[in-house]
Amino acid sequence: MLFNPSNFVATLLIPGCALAVTTLNASATLGHNFTLAALNTTFSNANSTGAPLVLGSAGSVDGESFHLSSTYYSYPFDDYPALSLVNGNLRAFDREGNWHTNASAPFMGYEALSWATSTFYSDPASTAFSAINIPASIYPILAVNGVYNLWYLCPSDMRLGQDSVYYNTTSIASSKAYPADINCYSVTLNMVPVSMSPMS
Ligand SMILES: *[C@@H]1O[C@H](CO)[C@@H](O)[C@H](O)[C@H]1NC(C)=O
Ligand SMILES: *[C@@H]1O[C@H](CO)[C@@H](O)[C@H](O)[C@H]1NC(C)=O
Ligand SMILES: *[C@@H]1O[C@H](CO)[C@@H](O)[C@H](O)[C@H]1NC(C)=O
Ligand SMILES: *[C@@H]1O[C@H](CO)[C@@H](O)[C@H](O)[C@H]1NC(C)=O
Ligand SMILES: *[C@@H]1O[C@H](CO)[C@@H](O)[C@H](O)[C@H]1NC(C)=O
Ligand SMILES: *[C@@H]1O[C@H](CO)[C@@H](O)[C@H](O)[C@H]1NC(C)=O
């Protein structure tokens, strides 16, 4: 079954003045592979790298499987240990180094950091991703359409119970299809060079 993020209600946490305008240095391509790690922007963090994220499971159909970026803590399998950013495409490589996985930009109705893997189908990858350098971060951080401060980590009440990355939770909060009280919190997504990744 396909994970449906509209199935729950989120409690909103607005990141405090995260929109302070500085000159942003965005790149559509990063010269090295990386993994993602989620850093709290409203709560304190255990360290400056953040909680490691992996491609969690989000169902499949014949010939294609789907994933959501989820915390390794909630989904302790790291089948895609290297990501890359090339011309705005966010790509994932499996353990053998194969590239059959692209990320989709969040869109209205599915505002998540979602991925699809297929050796059968070919969908043009999103070109909306970028890496942004902000003075407050030692790592480049992931943005979509230049926006880096609308990512949230949301616990799930679904069967697999993954804590996954969503975007712009106002749209999740406005979908009251599921009577759960889900607490999302604002995060930034660090792009941690693979050589420095705790899981490499
Ligand atoms: C922009 O970021 C790149 C790395 O992503 C770095 O090499 C470059 O020096 C930065 N430019 C400025 C003006 O900060
Ligand atoms: C940083 O803290 C997170 C918990 O938020 C932990 O999962 C991760 O392993 C820590 N990373 C390092 C490099 O200590
Ligand atoms: C963010 O902070 C909350 C509350 O302290 C904590 O439960 C959560 O594990 C933290 N998440 C990360 C990614 O560090
Ligand atoms: C990222 O890793 C893949 C798989 O190992 C490799 O083919 C690719 O060249 C790497 N990309 C960069 C920019 O290092
Ligand atoms: C990933 O994106 C590239 C570039 O758009 C595309 O050629 C490739 O077929 C995509 N892969 C999948 C599995 O959709
Ligand atoms: C966030 O979601 C709200 C409500 O659906 C929408 O009006 C707004 O345009 C979205 N913002 C972005 C940056 O996508």
Side-chain angles (χ1 to χ4, degrees), residues 5-153:
S6 68
N7 274 348
F8 63 80
V9 180
T11 302
L12 244 201
L13 290 170
I14 305 292
C17 56
L19 263 175
V21 177
T22 48
T23 308
L24 297 179
N25 180 5
S27 338
T29 297
L30 271 192
H32 54 78
N33 285 341
F34 56 88
T35 60
L36 293 175
L39 200 62
N40 265 322
T41 61
T42 38
F43 299 107
S44 61
N45 291 283
N47 55 59
S48 58
T49 303
L53 300 177
V54 293
L55 270 61
S57 171
S60 60
V61 295
D62 281 350
E64 193 162 25
S65 61
F66 305 100
H67 326 272
L68 285 174
S69 284
S70 300
T71 61
Y72 180 69
Y73 181 78
S74 68
Y75 185 81
F77 307 97
D78 186 21
D79 297 329
Y80 300 88
L83 310 181
S84 72
L85 178 72
V86 179
N87 297 328
N89 299 165
L90 185 55
R91 306 172 173 177
F93 297 91
D94 67 19
R95 292 208 160 270
E96 284 72 50
N98 300 308
W99 169 39
H100 300 302
T101 309
N102 295 319
S104 301
F107 56 89
M108 199 66 75
Y110 201 71
E111 297 203 294
L113 184 50
S114 63
W115 305 74
T117 297
S118 184
T119 51
F120 192 69
Y121 298 110
S122 171
D123 298 316
S126 169
T127 55
F129 293 99
S130 60
I132 289 189
N133 292 296
I134 57 168
S137 177
I138 54 172
Y139 303 105
I141 60 175
L142 184 69
V144 62
N145 296 313
V147 179
Y148 63 86
N149 57 1
L150 280 180
W151 298 115
Y152 295 84
L153 205 49

